[in-house]
Amino acid sequence: MHHLPWGWLCWMGLMLFFCGACGEQNGGEDPPDSDAGADADSDSDSDTDSDVDTDTDADGDSDADADGDTDRPFEGFGAVTEGAAGCPEFDVVQVTTLADSGAGSLREALSGTCRRIEFSVGGDIRLTSQLVLNDSFITIDGATAPSPGVTLVKSSVPQNILVVEGVTDVIITHLRFIGHGTDCEDDCGDNLSLVGTSRVVIDHISSGYADDGALDIAWGLDETVPGWANSDITVSWSLFYRTAKAMLIKYGPHRHLSIHHNLFTRNVERNPQVRHQAELLDFVNNVVHLWGREPGGWGYGMRLYDHDGDSGSGFGGDGLVDANIIGNVFAPNGGLPQNAIQRLSGGGDGSLGQLYFDDNSVPVENDAPLDSTVDQMLPIPTHAGVTTYSSGDLGSSVLPLVGTHFPSAEEKMLIDEAKDSLSDP
């Protein structure tokens, strides 16, 4: 049985909390040109409310209301972080404009450490260049935004939307990331990228139409310094959709990664792909649905590599993937069932990492063997455990709660589609 750090009553209270925060946003079918909020070049908000409001809270308490509270307990390895509250004193910074830059903008809010970033505006932030988060002890709480929530819209294909780089203690929650959906092969930017980070929580985000990764965990900050490229990371309760290459965990070595209670849907591949050293990946209660993007199209669900002697990153490591794969559902719904979980050679000595499979719903046509290489679940410290449901319960226990608190019409459709697929006999 997987670790259950909180009781069922607490968990039911947590589900009620999330359901109470649900709202509505209109969305498009192709990379959405969302009209839900004011454009970044609108003058109304930026002229009248353009100052960054900063309140210092020495006690480590935020003034967020109940719907914007990120002090609720996160789970997994990243839950060791408190984000901004990890500082003895931190500033509460209000984003008051949807403009790309300038006073009151998100870009300006990211220009310092020990900051809890909240939003008094909702809508699209249309970026002219990528955002870089390179200060530690940051919380970005999109749950504080009014309807329709906050969507970060990509500027150009080679750019990322947001790079979290060389930092520790970061929480990002309730944001939407939308790329161009070009499926480009070279010089492509991610929607969200973690590079050389530790103690990070990515929770309740929606990320779609990425040109490369919807979320990539890859590379370290300095290849000349041995160590972990990324460590103690949680990705939870999020929605990754309509992307060619959803999530890459590569160019490590990485350590202590919790990927739990997420929906991957209508992505071609990398749901996720895990290669090079990943020391203890806990992949729990995720739904991987309709890989290949459209019924009958080529694609695969999850891909795990055996020994890879050269990570390509310069960090070294043993080249093995060690993982718990527990309580997940792989529902093709028109995707190629034989490609639900792939096991490939990394070009090394052929040795396997420590892999434990249990209670996964996988098509019987799946080609790869899903035999565990160890007799029992890889031990997870109590502080990093996650609430675990039976794979048969994910349609009701997980899918209604993934993504931001203001799902778009398209996101609602994708979630409902996945729920219907899980309920079909």
Side-chain angles (χ1 to χ4, degrees):
M1 185 70 178
H2 216 55
H3 293 281
L4 273 161
W6 294 283
W8 286 104
L9 290 176
C10 293
W11 178 244
M12 290 302 295
L14 183 61
M15 290 204 308
L16 290 173
F17 168 86
F18 285 126
C19 291
C22 291
E24 182 174 358
Q25 178 191 22
N26 294 324
E29 289 295 321
D30 290 319
D33 286 331
S34 173
D35 295 322
D39 290 339
D41 55 3
S42 170
D43 293 332
S44 57
D45 286 334
S46 57
D47 287 345
T48 58
D49 294 309
S50 59
D51 294 332
V52 172
D53 299 327
T54 304
D55 298 313
T56 301
D57 190 337
D59 295 328
D61 295 325
S62 82
D63 296 325
D65 60 20
D67 287 343
D69 183 13
T70 57
D71 293 330
R72 62 176 176 78
F74 298 109
E75 294 184 307
F77 284 110
V80 291
T81 186
E82 298 180 84
C87 289
E89 294 185 353
F90 64 91
D91 294 330
V92 178
V93 180
Q94 293 290 335
V95 175
T96 59
T97 177
L98 298 171
D100 168 82
S101 60
S105 68
L106 175 59
R107 191 179 299 275
E108 182 172 275
L110 291 171
S111 63
T113 189
C114 295
R115 291 186 170 190
R116 175 184 170 87
I117 299 171
E118 300 180 355
F119 297 83
S120 60
V121 292
D124 293 353
I125 299 177
R126 298 182 179 277
L127 300 173
T128 59
S129 61
Q130 70 184 10
L131 296 170
V132 179
L133 194 168
N134 53 14
D135 286 294
S136 295
F137 299 101
I138 298 293
T139 296
I140 306 177
D141 187 2
T144 57
S147 178
V150 174
T151 299
L152 303 182
V153 182
K154 194 176 185 182
S155 61
S156 64
V157 171
Q159 298 269 346
N160 300 288
I161 294 180
L162 175 61
V163 180
V164 183
E165 183 175 59
V167 296
T168 185
D169 292 279
V170 169
I171 297 170
I172 299 172
T173 186
H174 287 285
L175 291 180
R176 177 179 294 105
F177 300 79
I178 296 293
H180 296 290
T182 58
D183 299 351
C184 70
E185 292 297 328
D186 299 303
D187 198 22
C188 318
D190 301 323
N191 279 3
L192 178 59
S193 183
L194 303 186
V195 180
T197 64
S198 64
R199 299 165 60 98
V200 173
V201 170
I202 307 296
D203 178 74
H204 278 96
I205 71 164
S206 298
S207 183
Y209 295 98
D211 300 301
D212 194 353
L215 167 60
D216 278 4
I217 303 171
W219 303 101
L221 188 64
D222 187 347
E223 299 177 29
T224 66
V225 179
W228 301 104
N230 292 278
S231 64
D232 296 294
I233 309 294
T234 287
V235 180
S236 57
W237 298 101
S238 293
L239 170 62
F240 304 100
Y241 64 97
R242 293 196 185 279
T243 291
K245 304 168 184 175
M247 181 182 292
L248 180 66
I249 302 172
K250 190 177 178 182
Y251 305 119
H254 308 295
R255 178 180 66 171
H256 295 170
L257 311 176
S258 299
I259 313 293
H260 67 88
H261 302 101
N262 302 288
L263 170 59
F264 299 81
T265 185
R266 288 187 176 263
N267 304 306
V268 177
E269 56 180 313
R270 299 184 181 177
N271 298 283
Q273 180 192 125
V274 190
R275 186 171 183 176
H276 306 140
Q277 183 174 0
E279 184 174 294
L280 200 39
L281 164 66
D282 207 29
F283 191 80
V284 178
N285 278 172
N286 300 282
V287 175
V288 180
H289 172 257
L290 214 175
W291 47 91
R293 184 171 299 164
E294 301 296 338
W298 179 87
Y300 65 83
M302 186 181 199
R303 179 177 285 178
L304 301 168
Y305 281 85
D306 64 16
H307 178 257
D308 192 326
D310 180 14
S311 71
S313 68
F315 283 86
D318 65 12
L320 296 174
V321 174
D322 301 328
N324 293 317
I325 315 293
I326 296 175
N328 304 284
V329 174
F330 294 81
N333 198 23
L336 300 177
Q338 64 269 30
N339 290 349
I341 302 178
Q342 293 187 329
R343 303 275 295 273
L344 271 68
S345 170
D349 61 18
S351 58
L352 301 174
Q354 299 181 74
L355 298 174
Y356 181 75
F357 295 91
D358 186 47
D359 185 34
N360 297 291
S361 176
V362 181
V364 294
E365 301 93 336
N366 190 68
D367 284 341
L370 299 182
D371 299 326
S372 300
T373 64
V374 292
D375 294 333
Q376 58 187 359
M377 185 187 79
L378 303 182
I380 302 295
T382 301
H383 73 269
V386 304
T387 302
T388 305
Y389 302 102
S390 166
S391 61
D393 294 335
L394 302 192
S396 59
S397 299
V398 173
L399 293 186
L401 300 176
V402 299
T404 73
H405 64 333
F406 290 118
S408 70
E410 180 183 25
E411 290 165 356
K412 289 180 180 179
M413 180 276 292
L414 292 169
I415 292 169
D416 287 344
E417 178 184 58
K419 287 169 61 179
D420 291 344
S421 176
L422 267 60
S423 64
D424 289 340

